[in-house]
Amino acid sequence: MSAATSTAPTKVAVLGAGSMGTTFAMVLADAGCDVTLWGRDAEVLEAVDRKHRNEKYLPGVQLPAMHGTTDPAVALEGASIVVVSVPSQVARATLESMRTLVHELAAPEAVVVSLMKGVELGTDKRMSQVMAEVLDLPDERVAVVSGPNLAPEIAERQPTATVVASRSEATAQLVASACATGYFRPYTNTDVVGVELCGAVKNIIALAAGMAQGRGFGWNTLATLITRGLVEITRLGLALGADAATFAGLAGMGDLTATCASPLSRNHRLGKHFGEGLTLEEAIAATGGTAEGVKSSQSVLELARAHDVEMPITAGVVDVLAGKLPLSELAATLLARPQKSEVAG
């Protein structure tokens, strides 16, 4: 006597119940995964678990069936994929507190995936490096997801694509298969360095774009910032061994364009508030949520200087945010730089 066999759905733990974490959890659940979302806000996670709603971060969005918990052990139990979506500057502390649980409760060869877009202050490490170091993971168990993926639009199930990057093509394909839906198309890439740097630096360029809009500048200025910002991202990436093709793709030009042009981008929105005359503290409060570019700008600039890479827009944003350069002088400072060929360097 034989019985039909069925494959159990992939069990996924998503750490971080903010807008992006919740949205990616939705994508995974829509793709057929068994998803548990972890966070610190008990009220939010209870609503996710019982009502399949997260009104705090995704108001009005009906989520598919998924679990919500404030207990990391519950989330990690048996997970074959662990997705990390917490602010980049608290990633190390968050993961250190869960290191034992990851090793004892998650599946033996669980893959850990970063949705984070930043460079750690003090170490200048990318988020995949932080994850691998804290959790003691080999390259083949680490992946990153990045692309033109504004959470509110994905939450409405609007069509978009993304990049899943891992040094292991098999790992990238595993994660891509887990999150592929009719509205969310993942492509794979083995250039982790390039994909991560695109995600981190585009937030800084988006701050500059928002500042320009706040000061009343138009499309010419925006296009200039996007294209010259891409040059900065590419310079840094190539210096760190990235693949040049990555920067023209979804994680590069795709994400940069979406983040610099859309008011849904927190970094663009914060820059706009700042450009309109708010102080940095007021702009952060008015924006709500985490705008990664503010804190990552200094660490990205340090990384660039350590590799002798010129990044004038990034340097200008750092000086403006630190109060060393009046915002009214940023454009003139950039335009007054020595003339040279567009493709120089």
Side-chain angles (χ1 to χ4, degrees), residues 102-120:
V102 170
H103 285 283
E104 292 182 352
L105 298 179
E109 298 300 319
V111 172
V112 182
V113 182
S114 171
L115 301 185
M116 301 172 289
K117 297 181 177 181
V119 174
E120 187 178 43

Side-chain angles (χ1 to χ4, degrees), residues 1 50 60 72 83 88 113 125 135 163-164 208 214 227 230 234 260 300 323:
M1 181 177 178
R50 296 188 177 187
V83 178
S88 60
V113 182
K125 290 185 177 180
L135 300 177
V163 178
V164 179
T227 49
L230 184 62
T234 305
C260 286
V300 167

Side-chain angles (χ1 to χ4, degrees), residues 112-175:
V112 182
V113 182
S114 171
L115 301 185
M116 301 172 289
K117 297 181 177 181
V119 174
E120 187 178 43
L121 288 165
T123 68
D124 300 338
K125 290 185 177 180
R126 293 173 284 107
M127 291 298 100
S128 69
Q129 293 176 302
V130 173
M131 293 192 321
E133 179 181 301
V134 173
L135 300 177
D136 191 23
L137 299 173
D139 288 344
E140 60 267 23
R141 290 179 58 191
V142 175
V144 302
V145 174
S146 191
N149 301 147
L150 298 166
E153 292 183 359
I154 300 174
E156 293 178 353
R157 296 174 172 83
Q158 296 183 23
T160 191
T162 197
V163 178
V164 179
S166 174
R167 292 285 296 276
S168 164
E169 177 65 29
T171 296
Q173 290 179 351
L174 172 73
V175 177

Side-chain angles (χ1 to χ4, degrees), residues 223-238:
T224 299
L225 287 168
I226 290 174
T227 49
R228 295 309 298 175
L230 184 62
V231 170
E232 295 195 10
I233 298 171
T234 305
R235 281 184 192 142
L236 181 58
L238 294 180

Side-chain angles (χ1 to χ4, degrees), residues 228 235 338-345:
R228 295 309 298 175
R235 281 184 192 142
Q339 292 182 1
K340 61 182 180 181
S341 166
E342 183 185 19
V343 295

